[in-house]
Amino acid sequence: MSKNPDIATPMARVRGLGAARSGTGHFWLSRVTAVANVPLTIAFVIIVLLLAKADYAGAIKIVGHPVAAILLLLFVGSAATHMRLGMQVIIEDYVHSEGTKLVLLMLNTFFAITVGLASAYAILKIGFAG
Amino acid sequence: MARTGPAERPLSPHLQIYKPSITMVTSILHRITGAALFFGTLLLVIFLVALASGKTSFATVQAIYGSFLGKLVLFGYTWALFMHMCGGLRHFIWDTGAGLERETRLKLGWATLIGSLALTALAWVVYFLR
């Protein structure tokens, strides 16, 4: 498919999904995770308030409870996805050097995945092994 | 490309030219709190990994989070969370095309700010009363 907009057919332009090559995917996923984040954030704050004055055994019991563990896993997954999309927009807005932008976008992805997976691993370990 | 003297052409005005409005301030705060929450997730990962690692590491993290400085950071994190959540709810309204009239958007701006402060206060009152 030609990258020249002057000779591209309307169909080719549609298939090309615009300059970002991803169409509305970014926008939509950002909204879907934002919607999910509203109830999950409220659940997260409630769980944190329950944890606030708990000792070690109490904290293990709270995080290890299936309902809390599942809510925390959902929150971490949705939040990590949402924050990766949001930080991507910030980077694209302010970093104009192509090389630096590429590096920062990669670090952004690495950070979000690390945060998400490390949290998920810890929650699962607490749930399964105590 | 370095320019030494003042520009010889009219330049578009930037942030410091405009009188701050509530919509402008809340828009900026939405981005700042979003970025803060991105790094704030480290607080959650550190807590979960420490809890999953055992008694000693949990006690260390709890001592740091429970200190005055720790509580201050957590207070800021709570507000960032609610500010970004309320700002997100406002964006959902705007995404439908509604609420963009002058009166409504000013009201929504104040509602975002006041709502986030009220929710933060509520969470911390619950924490101190428990």
Side-chain angles (χ1 to χ4, degrees):
Chain A
M1 188 187 68
S2 170
K3 280 178 184 170
N4 187 340
D6 294 328
I7 56 167
T9 61
M11 182 55 132
R13 258 182 277 128
V14 169
R15 287 211 182 105
L17 298 164
R21 302 252 171 270
S22 62
T24 55
H26 185 286
F27 175 88
W28 187 246
L29 189 56
S30 165
R31 301 303 139 135
V32 171
T33 49
V35 170
N37 279 346
V38 177
L40 292 173
T41 297
I42 294 167
F44 167 66
V45 171
I46 292 170
I47 292 168
V48 169
L49 283 170
L50 290 171
L51 282 166
K53 286 174 183 171
D55 59 0
Y56 176 73
I60 290 281
K61 217 174 156 188
I62 292 164
V63 177
H65 190 285
V67 175
I70 290 165
L71 286 171
L72 282 173
L73 283 169
L74 289 172
F75 173 70
V76 159
S78 183
T81 310
H82 186 80
M83 77 183 196
R84 180 179 162 265
L85 296 170
M87 188 52 83
Q88 185 190 332
V89 174
I90 294 180
I91 293 166
E92 286 166 352
D93 274 357
Y94 301 129
V95 183
H96 303 303
S97 147
E98 215 41 56
T100 317
K101 186 161 77 185
L102 208 70
V103 170
L104 287 176
L105 287 175
M106 269 192 203
L107 288 175
N108 178 35
T109 300
F110 294 161
F111 182 82
I113 291 176
T114 306
V115 161
L117 280 185
S119 301
Y121 180 84
I123 296 163
L124 290 173
K125 184 186 179 268
I126 294 161
F128 293 141
Chain B
M1 296 286 275
R3 201 177 55 223
T4 43
E8 284 160 25
R9 58 194 160 76
L11 293 172
S12 61
H14 198 54
L15 281 180
Q16 62 272 18
I17 295 291
Y18 300 104
K19 189 175 125 225
S21 67
I22 187 67
T23 37
M24 172 196 190
V25 171
T26 46
S27 170
I28 293 168
L29 284 176
H30 194 69
R31 175 155 284 194
I32 292 176
T33 51
L37 290 169
F38 176 91
F39 295 105
T41 50
L42 283 174
L43 293 168
L44 175 62
V45 192
I46 290 168
F47 178 86
L48 287 171
V49 171
L51 182 60
S53 301
K55 242 179 187 149
T56 329
S57 50
F58 178 73
T60 311
V61 166
Q62 219 182 20
I64 297 167
Y65 284 16
S67 69
F68 177 73
L69 206 68
K71 277 195 190 119
L72 206 65
V73 171
L74 288 174
F75 185 85
Y77 178 79
T78 316
W79 175 71
L81 204 58
F82 283 130
M83 180 69 199
H84 201 77
M85 188 180 94
C86 291
L89 293 173
R90 189 170 60 139
H91 273 288
F92 292 152
I93 297 169
W94 283 343
D95 281 347
T96 69
L100 290 158
E101 307 78 17
R102 188 185 140 80
E103 277 308 306
T104 321
R105 73 176 183 257
L106 292 180
K107 270 186 204 148
L108 283 174
W110 283 110
T112 303
L113 194 62
I114 294 165
S116 72
L117 292 170
L119 286 167
T120 308
L122 177 72
W124 282 82
V125 164
V126 169
Y127 166 74
F128 281 114
L129 290 183
R130 270 190 81 236

